[in-house]
Each structure stands twice: as structure tokens, then as C-alpha cells.
Amino acid sequence: MAEIKRCKNGFATAVDGVTRVVSSGELVSTDDPVYTRDRRDLFEDVTTHVSQQAAGRARAAGKGVEQATAAPGEKRDLTPPAPFDPAEHNVADVLAYLGTVDRDEALRVLDAEAGGKKRSTILALREQYEGPSNLPPADPDGDDA
């Protein structure tokens, strides 16, 4: 079965008496007469090139390259992760999680805790998250009359 290869360095060669120029970056089938055993080192797998380019762009942007989450041929699981359940974690983990989420998620977790294990250390934080939202709205005229 033929494969597609990418030319790493351009070259010219005679094919059936006609000069053929293969440019750097050109894609060539392994069935093509310009792809011979003597010229294999002038080509690379397309996937190798794409991976190298992605890694280079990621390095330039200061980011790592995302790794695939499924083996080749397997479908990725697109099901979103289950919501954080405080009952499945110890107090330290719940407190750490609450420090990383927005107000709505924190209140959801605190509600789950109130309906579950009811650990006082965690439930004591509710006022911290409810406080400012229970204040009356600011006076739009600014006269506070």
C-alpha cells in the first residue's frame, strides 16, 4: 500500500527522460517514480513533520503539546467529568477545591455538603460565599436617600 511522504529537501531528477523538480514540503506518494530507495532519506512521514511543527509552535508560544487521551483507533470519551462531590473527599481536599472555583460552584458544593456529611468546618464557609450577594443593590442615583 502506498504512503504519502513529505520532501524534506528539494531536488531535481530525471524521470522517463524529463527533469522533474520536487520542492521542499511537496507531498509525494511512495508509488511515485521520484521516490526510490536511493532517495528515501530526502523524505519524511507526514505525521512526523506535523508533530514537529506542532511542538515547535507550542514551544514558541510557551505551551506544552497536548497529548492524545485515547490510543490510536479508539474514540475519545467526550462525556464531561462528574461534578465535584464533597462526600467523596476529605475536608482538606474540599477546602482546597473551594479555593479554586467561582462563587456559584462553591455554593453548589456547600449545598451538597449540607445535604450529605454536614461537616461543620466546610459548612462554616457558606457565609463567606453568600455575604456580598445578599447586600441590597447600590443606589443607581448615588444619593443613598
Side-chain angles (χ1 to χ4, degrees):
M1 178 196 267
E3 296 179 47
I4 301 297
K5 301 289 186 176
R6 179 187 174 276
C7 180
K8 296 189 290 188
N9 299 307
F11 64 93
T13 188
V15 176
D16 297 329
V18 177
T19 300
R20 171 129 177 242
V21 176
V22 179
S23 301
S24 177
E26 186 174 334
L27 301 179
V28 174
S29 170
T30 54
D31 289 343
D32 192 307
V34 298
Y35 185 84
T36 64
R37 180 177 297 173
D38 297 335
R39 293 191 203 100
R40 279 192 306 212
D41 59 330
L42 298 175
F43 296 89
E44 67 183 344
D45 289 328
V46 174
T47 55
T48 300
H49 173 71
V50 170
S51 296
Q52 290 171 346
Q53 292 298 308
R57 283 191 299 274
R59 277 191 305 275
K63 301 176 184 173
V65 177
E66 177 187 354
Q67 296 298 314
T69 57
E74 291 180 3
K75 293 190 181 231
R76 290 174 122 179
D77 181 10
L78 300 178
T79 306
F84 183 86
D85 182 359
E88 296 177 3
H89 301 275
N90 63 36
V91 172
D93 290 345
V94 175
L95 295 176
Y97 179 75
L98 289 172
T100 64
V101 298
D102 65 16
R103 179 181 175 279
D104 291 338
E105 173 63 2
L107 289 173
R108 186 198 64 77
V109 170
L110 292 168
D111 287 343
E113 180 67 25
K117 290 187 173 182
K118 299 176 177 67
R119 294 172 283 193
S120 61
T121 306
I122 297 170
L123 294 177
L125 296 175
R126 180 169 278 292
E127 287 181 20
Q128 174 183 327
Y129 290 99
E130 288 183 332
S133 66
N134 288 339
L135 296 175
D139 184 24
D141 297 330
D143 59 10
D144 288 356

